[in-house]
Amino acid sequence: MNYIKAILSLIFLVGPLSISSAAEKVQKDVLFVVLGKTANFRQSSDETHRLLNYHFFAEIFLKENGSVSNAALITPDDNRELVFEGDDSVLEVHGGRYTNEDELNKAFPDGNYIFSYRLSDNTLLNESVRIRNGSGNSRIPDPVSVYLSQDGKKVNPANVNSDLDLTVTWSPFESGNTDPNGIVDDLMFVVTGNCHGKKIDHSGGPFGSGE
């Protein structure tokens, strides 16, 4: 599978999502943290979508030259400690794959999750981030579509001409809303990668991340 096909292989939809800017403490290590429940879809060349699974995740985005140690996510129901792993820019926790949303919510119920980590100056932070469905109905949006075009014409992923520029566009995030807390509005981004899962390009994330 070439990297063009990889673009369409996974569409990542974030449902209940919480982002903290980590702005409460002046420090040089953490840019923000993310907690979310997601649905993953596969988009075929005819732009139809197939649900793959539901997923829980948490992330710690680091500032340039920032670092943390002993990073763990503590769950609200049974105080499990899930260890973060990653590289110099983002640390991640992944909570398995589930066939339906009920299974996901049973494994990772709504509530206050604790991001526990030590900054580079050895300060211990325990940051509480709440995630909730609110009404009990799903907040995971329907999948968007990703489109490829060359010379102003739509192109099939299997027929991309490597000698021409490739334009990647996507359908609007129709269910996105503003953030009542004023941290960051609902967002959508597109990541391109190769068949080994290595990122090639990113449309850009909040606070200048993912570029």
Side-chain angles (χ1 to χ4, degrees):
M1 182 173 67
N2 61 34
Y3 83 91
I4 296 301
K5 292 181 181 178
I7 293 174
L8 303 183
S9 67
L10 198 63
I11 298 177
F12 181 70
L13 277 297
V14 177
L17 173 67
S18 296
I19 296 179
S20 171
S21 64
E24 293 81 3
K25 176 181 173 59
V26 178
Q27 43 82 27
K28 63 180 182 180
D29 297 306
V30 176
L31 186 60
F32 62 96
V33 300
V34 178
L35 181 71
K37 296 179 180 180
T38 75
N40 295 311
F41 293 83
R42 189 178 301 279
Q43 179 179 315
S44 66
S45 58
D46 63 1
E47 298 172 10
T48 58
H49 304 99
R50 178 171 64 88
L51 176 66
L52 297 178
N53 52 60
Y54 291 89
H55 183 53
F56 172 90
F57 76 103
E59 296 172 314
I60 300 174
F61 281 78
L62 301 177
K63 296 180 180 180
E64 186 176 1
N65 298 321
S67 66
V68 300
S69 59
N70 301 323
L73 182 75
I74 303 172
T75 62
D77 54 337
D78 54 8
N79 293 320
R80 283 176 292 163
E81 290 193 8
L82 308 177
V83 178
F84 282 91
E85 298 179 349
D87 55 27
D88 293 336
S89 61
V90 59
L91 303 177
E92 303 176 351
V93 157
H94 294 280
R97 308 288 173 172
Y98 303 90
T99 58
N100 58 65
E101 200 167 350
D102 287 341
E103 289 182 359
L104 170 64
N105 290 330
K106 183 177 180 180
F108 294 94
D110 292 351
N112 291 315
Y113 287 76
I114 305 298
F115 286 75
S116 178
Y117 52 88
R118 287 193 180 276
L119 301 173
S120 59
D121 64 3
N122 205 37
T123 299
L124 175 64
L125 286 186
N126 288 298
E127 185 174 17
S128 176
V129 178
R130 180 172 178 79
I131 189 169
R132 63 184 179 87
N133 269 332
S135 65
N137 297 321
S138 175
R139 292 174 56 202
I140 296 179
D142 293 331
V144 299
S145 293
V146 178
Y147 310 107
L148 306 180
S149 61
Q150 292 184 305
D151 280 342
K153 298 179 181 179
K154 187 181 295 185
V155 60
N156 187 290
N159 298 322
V160 170
N161 186 338
S162 60
D163 294 325
L164 298 176
D165 289 340
L166 177 70
T167 299
V168 181
T169 57
W170 49 92
S171 57
F173 188 7
E174 295 180 350
S175 61
N177 293 297
T178 57
D179 179 7
N181 296 317
I183 297 175
V184 63
D185 296 337
D186 288 344
L187 56 89
M188 180 170 66
F189 51 82
V190 172
V191 182
T192 58
N194 60 24
C195 61
H196 301 291
K198 182 178 180 180
K199 183 176 72 175
I200 294 175
D201 201 3
H202 195 297
S203 60
F207 314 117
S209 64
E211 296 177 351

